[in-house]
Amino acid sequence: MLATLIKNANSDQALIAILNKCSSISQLKKLHAFFIASGLFQHDIFSSKFLFLSATSCSGNVEYSYRIFNQIPIPTIFDWNTIIRAYSSSKNPNRSISLFVKMLDKGVFPDHLTYPFLVKASARLSSIEHGMEVHSHVLKTGYELDRFIRNSLIHMYASCGVIAYARKVFDEMQNRNLVSWNSMLDGYAKCGELEMAREIFALMPEKDVVSWSSLIDGYVRGGEYQQALEIFGRMQEMGPEANEVTVVSVLSACAHLGALEQGRLMHRYMMEKGLRLTLVLATSIMDMYAKSGAIEEAMVVFHGVGKDKTDVLFWNAIIGGLATHGYVQESLDLFSEMQLVGVAPDEITYLCLLSACAHGGLVEEAWHFFESLKRHGMIPKIEHYSCMVDVLARAGRLTEAYEFLGRMPEQPTASMLGALLSGCINHRKLDIAERVGKKLIELEPYHDGRYVGLSNVYAADKRWEDAKTMRDAMESVGVKKSPGCSCVEISGVLHRFIAHDKLHPMSCEIYQMMDFIFKQIKRDVVYVDQENSMYTAEV
């Protein structure tokens, strides 16, 4: 049928139309074989078309595209741009740069379409050296005024963390468009310069969903979760409808705040707006429910996704969520199911499993997972060592934990020592606790919690003078104890309180209610004491 279809095509354009109808890479390969056998592939128009279709296909194989490229006797600049583009989006973007060098050696001159792909490759490599070399070529070849290239350069410099260079390119542009503004905004947001991001956002002549999403994502990355939700609220009032990127960022903010009601509203918003439940969205929704303690709702989302369509991020979210809330056996069972489905675990999976073991006191199982990590060719990171220390410390195996820290290939971090200190205090191993507490102060001399931790060790051992000395030492170096805060969500609104807080708009009413509750408690205590006295007298 394929041969008949091609024979009946009475022109090159008709054959091109047949190629354009290819719906899969396997179909394209069959046509490729037929064109080679029939001699048609030798024509530039067809060889270039095959290269373009394979290189831009979602299911394509960049190495297959490169083999097609090598079959073209004299590649045109269009062909070079196509293969450079393919590698810029691949797992090996460095090949884009090497192919560009090869192209120059062959005497082929780049055009305005070559550079954006090279800039993209440099951004994905986070290579400022490659990026600056490409920028230098842009200036030498006279394409410095091309808006598409300049927008790419802004993104590249921001991706490499050199935001000042990105701003220089932006400021020199005379013909900025929405992409230019969004690139600069996203650059500031990703580099953590939220005030500058806010300034660019305010100056923008127009804003779209990308603008709002970039600003929200910046605040989420910066840990300013409440502000991220406030910006989303403004977006709902005056901006465009949210897309998948926006929803993922907002759900992440809800997850970190434990703002369950707002997370539910976001889930409902997504369904009302008809957003397709992609794997990324399903993972974000499930992660939000799990981190907020709504395990049943998280499991509903989990069971609603076909397991043949899942990835390791999806499984990590549910295993980690269950582990955090003490569903130890359930998280281990899901790990077994994950393996049966054929999804390979990664470093984060093992971190989740070690966390589950810490919550469940499963020391032997934790050692098994820690060793499995290494057996599967992964190198344990600081977080894995820290989790292992936590497992041992919670289980009261403090000497073992202390010795484990000594065998580490790197110096133990403050978080590891903090986990060990907590275990020592809980299990009254105060001699080790004192040594660990002193080491923590050496590591972080301006961290208030380190002084408080060692002071608590001395207090637990009734060494009151040492406890006071530690608090005096804290004051002498100018360290003040940061007030702890509590958050409570009421009707979808998150309220934050610190000790003796009077900043809340309803603080008077709150304190009145607290006084009433305390009076009720005292009255009940007196009543219970009286009843007990009468009972004792009767006996």
Side-chain angles (χ1 to χ4, degrees), residues 64-76:
Y64 170 60
S65 301
Y66 188 62
R67 288 198 297 273
I68 294 175
F69 176 78
N70 281 333
Q71 291 171 0
I72 302 173
I74 306 174
T76 64

Side-chain angles (χ1 to χ4, degrees), residues 69 94 100 107 193 285 356 462 512:
F69 176 78
N94 203 50
F100 175 64
E193 297 198 21
I285 295 166
K462 294 184 171 54
Q512 285 173 3

Side-chain angles (χ1 to χ4, degrees), residues 86-97:
Y87 275 109
S88 73
S89 301
S90 73
K91 293 180 180 178
N92 187 14
N94 203 50
R95 284 293 300 276
S96 293
I97 308 295

Side-chain angles (χ1 to χ4, degrees), residues 13 20 41 45 82-83 87 103 132 199 206 229 233 236 245 252 268 275 301 312 319-320 332 341 357 391 481 493:
Q13 291 305 317
N20 283 333
F41 187 78
I45 187 173
T82 302
I83 195 64
Y87 275 109
M103 182 184 95
M132 293 184 79
E199 183 181 301
E206 59 175 319
L229 294 181
Q236 286 182 291
V245 176
S252 177
R268 197 175 305 134
L275 282 175
V301 178
V312 68
I319 292 171
L332 299 183
V341 170
C357 293
V391 171
K481 187 177 183 302
V493 179

